[in-house]
Amino acid sequence: MQHEHSPPKVEATSPPRYPPTVRPRCLLALLLLFLAAASCGPPRAALTVANGPDLDTLDPQLARSSAAQRASRALFAGLTRLNTQDLGLLPDLALSWTAEDEGRLWRFELRPGLRWSDGQALTAQDVVASWQRLQDPATAAPYASWVAGAKFAAPSPTEVQILFPEPQPLFPLLCSHPALAPVPPALRDSVLGTLPNPLPSSGPFQLLERRLRDRLRLLRNPHYWRADQVPSESLDLLTIDSDITALNLFLTEGVAFAPKTPDLALPRLVEQQDARLHQSAELGTVFLRFQQRDAPFDDFDLRRALLLGTDRNALATLVGHGRPAAAGFVPRSMPAWTGPAWPSAELTQARAALERVRQRHQGALPRIELLYPSTAGNRLLVEALAALWKQDLGLEVRLMNVEARTFYPAQSALEYQVSLSSWVADYPHALSFLDIFRSHDANNRSGFADAGYDELLALAASTLDEQERQHALQRAEEILRDQAVLLPLLEQRRQELVSPRLGGWHDNALGIIDWAALEWREAP
Amino acid sequence: MNARLLRRALMLVATILLVHAAAFFLMRTTRGGPFDEARALDPQVKLALEQRYGLDEPLAVQYWHALTGLWQGDFGPSLRYREVSVADLLADALPVSFAVGGGALLWGLLFGIPLGMVAAGARRRLLGQSATTLATVLLALPNFVLAGAAIALFSFALGWLPPAGTGGLAHLFLPSLCLGLPLAAQISLLVRDAASERWQSAGVRHARALGLSGQRLWWAHILKPSLTPVLAFLGPATAAVLTGSLVIERIFALPGLGTFFVEAALNRDYTLALGVTVVYTALLGLATFFADVLLMKLDPRVEALS
């Protein structure tokens, strides 16, 4: 036995030489394969920016994600565009527009000599055919409702007419959205779900190459009507899923812009007052939906108790990461908007409302479940909220997280009690927010239905009097508040990283970038 | 030999069919669909989309379409990337994953084998124990820690390499290193154990008694036989590294295949999920098959036993 445990004699007496370098042929083959695959890479563009996750589509009529809409704005010009400084409306492909018949009929006069990037003329007929495609149910365009029931005409190559069954006073504003930008004949003629190659465009850039999940390489469009003002010869929109990766690239000047700052890096950048961090208001709100069709949140007192008893300022301090407490459902940064005041942290009234609920439930409060889509940021938010409710109201909440694709169908089917939600405006108007709580809107997802609310929204959508519209919308938000339909929590903030060498940049609440003005300046 | 090859090929086909069917039905029994998003689509728009992609048909019909598509090598269009077919997505992603995975294999073998031999040859000395400790640490470190440290050192402190993105060999250096070092650690531990065992074997003792030493002893009598477990390990490991890594691809913003495994499932991109599953199964089967063939060449006892 002793002999078995002792080290072998040969080892003790003659230390081995270390092995020679290993050079099997397969390693050489692997190296060659590796080098061959790695050797090709595009040269750097004049301007490179991070564009977030990969685009779901390059078709502007189908684009929904912010990354896809950012790319669409670089490629496709609308009849109008928004001023990136104040979100005011500016002409783009259209020189002017007029309304007739109380806003049912709109006439747009296009700029003369417009061309697609392939040199073909861009005419009023292109605009009409594009809007017909948007309207066609087969296109399955998410913004098809914006031209529902409309009739189109092109009396001349530069005049577009659109006739709505009801007045549409905000239509020129909608025309600044990529969904209403004219699309080229090649795209209109291609089979749905396919893209023509090349893809002609009408905006400041044209598509040179799409490397899936890597980048879009764009070149300046020489036929864009203000091409002489576009300083960048080429533009790369990089697909970067991780905010931290985008930050790393930004810090090493690999990109001039990153659309989001990682939460982890935010405190340090704020503390250092880093000028590269651009924090600005965003037209977005984080809120809770109450499912009010069924118990327990069909009980007004329970909804009201949570609305009154939630200390939104404490929540913003705890987990806001720079986002302020929401002052209402429509963000206060909405241009020309003065919404009604919503209550916050009125604990005495909240406890009284809860007491009434308790009495109706034989002395016990109903068990509350809060459903939220699973992300780290959401988890922190709902945990802080649950802690506040327990501390201030003595409420026990069961937090239920599910992945996003399970969450949304559950929310649409009203299979929840309370659910975490957020909304970001499509265009800079309160209507873009309040519209979603119309009784039959697909985004209502709460069971709330009120004929008076629907009438106010219909009035706001159709009146030509802006003051009347604002008043109707304010009344509508008051209904949401008074019936405790939802609980606003935080206002969204844009937290973008912008290099000081990036010229032509302006912060704005919709995150719209004027690609025609951006320029990567040489280091001083 | 030929009969064995044929049997293995048939088993691979059967495995792919089974995995394909399991993936198809598991995906469809999961709640939520590709068009359930934060902004709900108008019901008519959603229906039009489902009709376009054939999702309104009975499940059996959809499975039949998926099966015939598999036979033709056509997985259909991706439901997430609207204008792109699954075949195009895979064709774009595979070279990236192969380049990073190939590099990782290279790092794994170049570091792993010498490290294992050092650990075996000097196992009772500080050098050998350091080699074993290094391998253990590399094995224990999560990918993202290794990647973070590598970026901090090579991109920020030294400024030698880009922290992410694509564009050339420099962009592949860090991701392949971070993917390859844990592999090197695994290989080194396998080599160490096999070489240590081999060093104490009667054959090596006999060879040394006959006066054999140096390169020939190490190469022919210790290293070569010690590679047998490495080859057995490399079969599945090759398939794993060549099909990418979610963590590494996200950290280094690489458009490889690894991200698809998770994203396709989370996005309910049924067609892409099926395509990725089939490709991975095929790669795993092929890599294992080639590893087996190499094993038989290297060690005739394996063929005799099988």
Side-chain angles (χ1 to χ4, degrees), chain B residues 35-227:
Chain B
F35 309 119
D36 291 317
E37 295 174 21
R39 285 171 177 246
L41 289 169
D42 187 86
Q44 282 182 335
V45 171
K46 195 174 170 187
L47 183 65
L49 279 170
E50 286 172 350
Q51 283 170 344
R52 183 186 302 170
Y53 293 104
L55 300 177
D56 58 331
E57 293 179 345
L59 206 56
V61 177
Q62 289 183 47
Y63 177 63
W64 176 248
H65 289 323
L67 204 58
T68 49
L70 175 66
W71 177 251
Q72 293 157 359
D74 175 15
F75 297 102
S78 162
L79 306 176
R80 157 75 172 78
Y81 303 94
R82 296 286 173 80
E83 298 105 6
V84 190
S85 70
V86 171
D88 284 346
L89 278 169
L90 296 177
D92 272 29
L94 271 172
V96 177
S97 288
F98 275 29
V100 178
L105 275 178
L106 207 60
W107 286 122
L109 293 169
L110 284 179
F111 280 166
I113 295 174
L115 194 67
M117 294 301 273
V118 168
R123 68 182 179 281
R124 297 195 185 280
R125 283 185 281 155
L126 183 64
L127 182 64
Q129 284 160 3
S130 302
T132 304
T133 307
L134 176 64
T136 312
V137 169
L138 286 176
L139 202 56
L141 273 180
N143 266 348
F144 58 89
V145 174
L146 205 56
I151 290 170
L153 176 66
F154 290 106
S155 302
F156 286 99
L158 300 171
W160 289 350
L161 293 166
T166 58
L169 199 59
H171 289 85
L172 291 181
F173 187 89
L174 286 183
S176 57
L177 181 70
C178 295
L179 198 61
L181 285 181
L183 197 68
Q186 282 173 302
I187 290 173
S188 79
L189 293 178
L190 287 171
V191 170
R192 185 201 64 170
D193 290 348
S196 298
E197 196 179 306
R198 190 72 200 148
W199 179 256
Q200 294 173 36
S201 69
V204 170
R205 287 187 193 192
H206 186 68
R208 298 191 66 220
L210 289 174
L212 200 65
S213 64
Q215 289 202 359
R216 182 130 186 243
L217 176 71
W218 272 101
W219 180 252
H221 294 277
I222 299 179
L223 178 60
K224 256 179 130 175
S226 302
L227 290 181

Side-chain angles (χ1 to χ4, degrees), chain A residues 19 21 53 55 73 197 207 259 288 305 314 344 346 365 374 380 424:
Chain A
T21 314
L55 320 172
R73 287 182 199 275
N197 187 14
L207 180 66
L288 293 183
S344 178
E346 294 178 9
L365 284 173
S374 186
L380 281 178
V424 177

